[in-house]
Amino acid sequence: MGEEIIAAIVGLGVLAAVFLPLGICPLVHYYRLTHGLTVTATVAEHVNDRTDHSASRHRQYSWYLKLKYYANGLEHVNTYNVCKTGEYVEAHPVGAEMDILVNIHNPKRFILPEDKWILLLMGGMFTLGGIGSLIGMICLWIK
């Protein structure tokens, strides 16, 4: 086997070792959320994160929702870490109620039902990339 083939096998193995866990973790998270609790949460606060880009003198605003909900008999107040638009935040004022999916084993982990596709997309892309790297590594190894 040539040095180039060995280097390619090692490189593809590293890619598979990185991409597979990056793909499997969101899929496991998705499964736990969709097979967990659906609870009603109340918007407790709107969180605004401003990023200044000094080179372009441009400000970028990111909006997050801080939600209060009850899961496993306890009250939880956590910030939803998926950035939302200003229009979305205005449509959900403080005190508004919304359904969320909560992980039974870790109630701090939750997602809005309309955003669960993000986990499937991320998990699918990375898993397919890892499987492709693994197949490429095996094909090179067999030659």
Side-chain angles (χ1 to χ4, degrees), residues 1-141:
M1 228 185 275
E3 289 181 21
E4 298 87 17
I5 293 176
I6 293 173
I9 290 172
V10 169
L12 288 170
V14 169
L15 285 175
V18 170
F19 283 158
L20 282 173
L22 285 175
I24 292 171
C25 287
L27 294 176
V28 168
H29 187 55
Y30 173 85
Y31 178 81
R32 287 188 176 170
L33 287 169
T34 56
H35 291 82
L37 296 172
T38 300
V39 299
T40 301
T42 305
V43 178
E45 181 182 346
H46 294 157
V47 180
N48 180 359
D49 183 23
R50 185 180 82 184
T51 305
D52 291 325
H53 300 284
S54 59
S56 64
R57 294 184 183 173
H58 176 71
R59 289 186 176 145
Q60 181 178 355
Y61 293 93
S62 302
W63 292 95
Y64 301 93
L65 297 173
K66 186 176 277 192
L67 301 174
K68 179 172 74 170
Y69 56 96
Y70 292 90
N72 296 343
L74 298 172
E75 180 183 81
H76 300 275
V77 179
N78 291 306
T79 302
Y80 185 51
N81 290 324
V82 176
C83 180
K84 294 295 183 184
T85 64
E87 293 82 21
Y88 186 90
V89 171
E90 288 176 10
H92 297 86
V94 173
E97 292 185 343
M98 56 180 38
D99 288 338
I100 61 173
L101 303 173
V102 179
N103 183 338
I104 296 172
H105 306 292
N106 186 358
K108 291 181 180 181
R109 293 187 155 232
F110 65 94
I111 196 166
L112 294 174
E114 70 242 24
D115 291 335
K116 64 184 178 182
W117 65 269
I118 297 170
L119 294 172
L120 281 177
L121 182 66
M122 285 177 40
M125 281 187 343
F126 283 114
T127 301
L128 288 175
I131 290 171
S133 299
L134 196 58
I135 290 171
M137 182 185 79
I138 291 170
C139 288
L140 285 175
W141 201 342

